[in-house]
Amino acid sequence: MAITEIQHDFLSQCLDDFEIINVNNTVPLSYYRKLKKIISDEDILTIVGGGNTGDLYAGMEYRRGLLMKMFPNNKMILFPQTFTYSDGINSTKNKSIKIFNKKKNLHILTREVNSYQVGMELFPKAKVQLAPDVVLLGENLFKKHRRPEAYDRKGILFCLRGDQEKVENSEVSRQLHRLILENKYEISTSDNVTSYNGEGYEFLKEKLAEQIKTSSEQQLVITDRLHGMIFCYMTDTPCLFLDNSNKKVSGVFEWLRDCSFIRPLDLINLEEDIKELMGMAGECRHRVLKKEFASLFELLNSL
């Protein structure tokens, strides 16, 4: 939801002579045929950024490929992505290679170096570039949802995955459990994924605002979710992160490496890092990323 909101606002600002139309990526596939009737070759298609490009989420990959085949002549921009393709013979991967390389005017933005290298190798016919996750452009969104009382921070929030991207680490769990018991830290749990049963767009915006506020109320967040880390950066919240299965968290962290309050979880320094970061709560200030998005700005300015 954060990606969608920020990408829409960003496109509206950069392409003010275009009408920006959102199409939910869960609409019935029959809806694409209706789009075919109203979209001309001069229209631009953008696909929301994120981490579902590849065979880990084959259903989303199928939809992406279907759009490329249905709109072969339109300029298409994939906003900053993470690629996850399995090694060896793989039908999803092979289909994507064929479809992506056949698509004309395809621009692919990747949000970490590993995905950039994969994109350059698999999709030589596309224009592949590096740019950070688009949520790092969301100064207005995060400022809008911050509250003054959010800086009265307390406790540690655990925002951890429970899906196929989770990496189990029993030693990390054991050490964290020990430190929490010894220091009697106040802890809470959350997740930046919410159930959705078609309640509507306003419902999702409310959930997004709640999650931003939750991040901004913590002394420290421990997370293995990429946007768990990014929400901390944008709300000036100290964070220790663990990597997920395709290492997109550490990959995107490279854009934030000069930030002192976002750190990889290191067992050797774990106790010291927790105490130091919790003491920094309320005093952190993030750097607004601008030059890092140069490739995205140049691309949109060329349209």
Side-chain angles (χ1 to χ4, degrees):
M1 186 60 190
I3 295 174
T4 299
E5 280 281 278
I6 292 163
Q7 183 169 322
H8 179 94
D9 290 348
F10 179 67
L11 287 169
S12 298
Q13 293 169 23
C14 293
L15 305 175
D16 56 4
D17 54 340
F18 281 77
E19 180 183 4
I20 311 299
I21 300 172
N22 286 339
V23 178
N24 192 303
N25 61 12
T26 61
V27 296
L29 294 178
S30 59
Y31 188 85
Y32 290 179
R33 290 194 291 271
K34 297 180 181 179
L35 292 178
K36 185 72 175 176
K37 296 178 181 178
I38 62 173
I39 291 178
S40 71
D41 285 352
E42 289 72 39
D43 293 324
I44 299 167
L45 277 69
T46 68
I47 294 181
V48 69
N52 56 26
T53 306
D55 50 36
L56 194 60
Y57 301 94
M60 297 304 299
E61 187 79 343
Y62 173 78
R63 285 174 175 263
R64 214 174 344 259
L66 182 61
L67 284 173
M68 292 184 189
K69 290 190 287 187
M70 290 184 70
F71 302 98
N73 299 318
N74 292 80
K75 181 169 288 187
M76 182 177 286
I77 303 170
L78 274 64
F79 266 62
Q81 306 278 331
T82 291
F83 291 152
T84 308
Y85 289 105
S86 304
D87 294 330
I89 299 173
N90 180 289
S91 59
T92 299
K93 179 179 179 180
N94 291 336
K95 287 178 182 177
S96 294
I97 291 173
K98 183 177 180 180
I99 294 170
F100 281 47
N101 285 314
K102 191 174 181 180
K103 176 73 180 77
K104 302 175 185 177
N105 295 323
L106 177 60
H107 297 262
I108 299 173
L109 292 150
T110 57
R111 57 189 183 180
E112 15 76 27
V113 171
N114 181 63
S115 291
Y116 174 76
Q117 292 172 340
V118 171
M120 292 290 287
E121 177 186 350
L122 299 184
F123 312 125
K125 298 294 182 66
K127 177 69 172 178
V128 182
Q129 296 174 281
L130 264 171
D133 186 282
V134 74
V135 175
L136 290 163
L137 278 171
E139 292 296 326
N140 292 334
L141 174 66
F142 283 88
K143 182 178 180 180
K144 178 172 64 176
H145 290 305
R146 290 186 189 125
R147 301 287 186 270
E149 64 270 20
Y151 289 99
D152 180 19
R153 300 166 181 263
K154 59 181 180 179
I156 301 175
L157 174 71
F158 286 86
C159 181
L160 300 171
R161 308 191 74 100
D163 58 15
Q164 67 267 40
E165 293 187 45
K166 183 177 182 63
V167 176
E168 297 290 348
N169 191 318
S170 58
E171 183 58 21
V172 168
S173 299
R174 189 182 71 81
Q175 292 287 0
L176 286 171
H177 185 69
R178 176 184 65 82
L179 289 171
I180 288 167
L181 288 176
E182 289 179 356
N183 295 278
K184 297 181 180 179
Y185 292 126
E186 180 178 342
I187 64 167
S188 57
T189 59
S190 180
D191 199 348
N192 58 8
V193 170
T194 187
S195 59
Y196 174 62
N197 298 307
E199 290 89 343
Y201 189 69
E202 291 304 316
F203 168 83
L204 293 175
K205 291 179 71 172
E206 289 175 8
K207 288 295 184 181
L208 175 58
E210 288 174 11
Q211 187 62 36
I212 292 172
K213 185 173 184 291
T214 296
S215 296
S216 67
E217 291 174 336
Q218 311 305 316
Q219 283 180 279
L220 175 66
V221 173
I222 297 175
T223 186
D224 59 357
R225 285 200 172 274
L226 172 58
H227 289 96
M229 178 185 72
I230 290 176
F231 277 31
C232 287
Y233 183 80
M234 298 299 288
T235 59
D236 300 321
T237 302
C239 174
L240 287 173
F241 71 83
L242 297 139
D243 232 338
N244 71 316
S245 60
N246 62 14
K247 301 187 182 303
K248 65 186 176 187
V249 188
S250 59
V252 173
F253 171 69
E254 291 300 317
W255 299 101
L256 314 177
R257 184 164 284 279
D258 62 352
C259 175
S260 63
F261 62 88
I262 307 289
R263 301 178 189 176
L265 190 149
D266 177 6
L267 281 176
I268 295 175
N269 301 310
L270 181 57
E271 186 168 9
E272 293 79 5
D273 281 344
I274 288 177
K275 290 179 178 178
E276 182 181 354
L277 288 171
M278 292 185 75
M280 296 168 62
E283 301 174 0
C284 306
R285 297 294 181 270
H286 69 278
R287 178 175 63 85
V288 177
L289 303 188
K290 291 184 177 179
K291 66 179 186 298
E292 291 83 357
F293 283 98
S295 59
L296 181 54
F297 282 113
E298 290 172 5
L299 173 57
L300 294 180
N301 287 335
S302 69
L303 298 179

